[in-house]
Amino acid sequence: MNTLVFSPFIKLCLALHLLAVLLLCWQPAWWPGLLGLLVLLHGLIALLGLLPRSTLLGPNLTRLPPSAIRRGEVAITIDDGPDPAVTPAVLDILRQYQVKATFFCIGERAVHYPELVRQAAQEGHAVENHGQRHRKHTSLFGLAGWRREVGEGQATLQAITGRAPQFFRPIAGLRNPLLEPVLQQLGVFLASWTRRGYDTRVRDPALVYARLTRQLAAGDILLLHDGNAARMADGTPVILQVLPRLLEELSRRQLQAVTLPQACSPAPAAAKRAS
């Protein structure tokens, strides 16, 4: 249970560190060059942590599995909630179109608005883990920090919905190599996205919609926000203008919106791990 299992890329990096130590013992005069190579290696690791869709730090669900693609499925994921000013309207739209979505909820917000989280779960939407505190420095966490952020989020959402989340998405998808071992220990899978509309910053619904639907295809994981949603000039959250158009476009293209657990049952193919 406590064994740390790293991705093949990270194992390679560890092996290169060991090789550098051996070379340093053999040829101490090489230390400037070896140090420079290790700095470059750590820079590469840091860069990969800033790329939400990278798979080199560990399994990462960026698209739905082939079985879901064959069924013509896509997943709408909605982050940063619950928000009492936005989430109820989002749920109303989804109910009107008879569509299920995946809500990546922040634990601290879920504690304040448990009825919204419970309502989403009762209406057939998936409630997944977006971290307990959603702090911007989460990508700098060590093992203990990730265990708190992910583990407390799991406990909070399970207490509210009666179901343990299957997926975790860090803030902005940012992470480091120590997240994957924690996810393995907790039995949770990392999920990012295929495309996003940047609807926390962009106030133009047409632009957000265009980004989400450009090359839209079966298997896509789409990212929107009910929490931290950008507002139009009249104060309307952008998601409330984009979501109906998006659902109508999915219908026109004969694509079915499903939750991540539905699409990936029994487990995300892209994230199956060797025992």
Side-chain angles (χ1 to χ4, degrees), residues 159-232:
I160 293 172
T161 67
R163 169 190 167 274
Q166 299 178 39
F167 297 91
F168 174 74
R169 177 179 287 165
I171 177 173
L174 305 178
R175 63 198 192 281
N176 63 36
L178 299 179
L179 172 59
E180 174 56 23
V182 171
L183 295 183
Q184 290 184 31
Q185 292 172 346
L186 294 174
V188 185
F189 296 100
L190 179 69
S192 58
W193 53 84
T194 310
R195 64 191 77 253
R196 62 185 302 185
Y198 295 94
D199 59 325
T200 58
R201 301 197 304 267
V202 177
R203 299 185 177 186
D204 181 359
L207 179 55
V208 173
Y209 172 80
R211 285 173 169 168
L212 289 171
T213 55
R214 187 177 298 120
Q215 298 180 334
L216 178 65
D220 282 357
I221 301 173
L222 308 178
L223 172 57
L224 285 163
H225 293 79
D226 55 348
N228 300 316
R231 258 64 172 180
M232 299 168 55

